[in-house]
Amino acid sequence: WDPRAESGGFVAAFPDGVNRGWNWGGCCGNGQKPGERDEIDDVKFLSALVAEIETTDHVDPHRIFFTGISAGGNMSFRMACQAQFPIAAIGADAGTVDTPCDKPQKLSVLSINGTEDTRIPIAGGKSTGPYVRDILPSIPSVLDKWRALDNCGAGVVTKAPPVTTTINTCPDGRAIQWMVVDGGGHQWFSFATDGIWQFFSDKRSP
């Protein structure tokens, strides 16, 4: 991300969760069992980090983004569900929602998933990851939440094997984009960094 930040003129921050894990919901990474991190408020931590960066680096508060892989993608979704400050977009690689999400923000979402990912399976259900809940939501159901919230139009599908991309355009410049990699696993794909930044680059919150 550093070269993209230099060329794109944005601030990239790389926060560390406690013991290399995030309290994103069903489990927390780095082998912690559910319940071991319940007292750690990573939404509060990341909110404070954004406030500090806005003050020290004078960034545009309407262009705040979250991205990550696996637990980082899950935490990005949790911020979209629970943060109290505006987020323009999130980009989750091999991520999902596994936390209360009763009042999600209207924002743009990019989800990248591999068809062979057994830790965050596209169809939902049981994960092979350690300590992840047995029942995860399907990725289409996760994205449908924001498609409905953002009042998006019908999806436009393009194929560039092994990637199939579905884009729903929505009012106020928002979009929901889903990139599915045929044969892909639980990984950061080679195109992810550039693809996520391209998706972020024209997004703004109200």
Side-chain angles (χ1 to χ4, degrees):
W1 280 103
D2 280 333
R4 296 349 180 259
E6 289 291 333
S7 62
F10 63 90
V11 174
F14 307 94
D16 289 326
V18 175
N19 295 328
R20 300 184 63 194
W22 295 110
N23 185 359
W24 53 263
C27 84
C28 308
N30 203 30
Q32 287 106 354
K33 296 179 181 179
E36 290 183 346
R37 297 171 53 87
D38 287 350
E39 300 304 313
I40 297 173
D41 191 341
D42 281 326
V43 173
K44 182 178 180 180
F45 164 57
L46 292 174
S47 299
L49 177 64
V50 168
E52 176 71 14
I53 293 172
E54 287 180 352
T55 299
T56 58
D57 292 277
H58 309 292
V59 299
D60 185 345
H62 299 285
R63 302 195 70 209
I64 304 299
F65 309 97
F66 284 88
T67 186
I69 179 176
S70 192
N74 299 345
M75 194 65 216
S76 297
F77 271 116
R78 183 164 197 174
M79 295 302 290
C81 289
Q82 299 178 356
Q84 298 300 304
F85 60 90
I87 300 170
I90 65 168
D93 185 316
T96 191
V97 173
D98 192 23
T99 192
C101 195
D102 298 330
K103 296 181 180 179
Q105 288 195 38
K106 286 187 175 183
L107 45 67
S108 295
V109 178
L110 167 59
S111 183
I112 304 173
N113 302 94
T115 60
E116 302 303 313
D117 186 351
T118 59
R119 293 195 175 189
I120 304 293
I122 286 177
K126 185 174 178 60
S127 168
T128 60
Y131 305 126
V132 179
R133 290 192 311 117
D134 283 348
I135 303 301
L136 292 173
S138 71
I139 301 303
S141 71
V142 169
L143 297 180
D144 280 345
K145 178 187 289 288
W146 273 278
R147 290 182 181 119
L149 183 67
D150 289 343
N151 194 28
C152 302
V156 176
V157 179
T158 60
K159 294 186 177 183
V163 182
T164 299
T165 301
T166 303
I167 300 177
N168 300 82
T169 56
C170 322
D172 301 318
R174 298 187 184 97
I176 308 300
Q177 181 170 321
W178 189 25
M179 304 181 76
V180 177
V181 184
D182 188 28
H186 195 73
Q187 64 193 91
W188 186 262
F189 295 98
S190 60
F191 62 85
T193 306
D194 287 333
I196 291 169
W197 169 235
Q198 183 179 14
F199 181 75
F200 286 173
S201 62
D202 64 349
K203 304 298 187 295
R204 292 180 60 87
S205 62

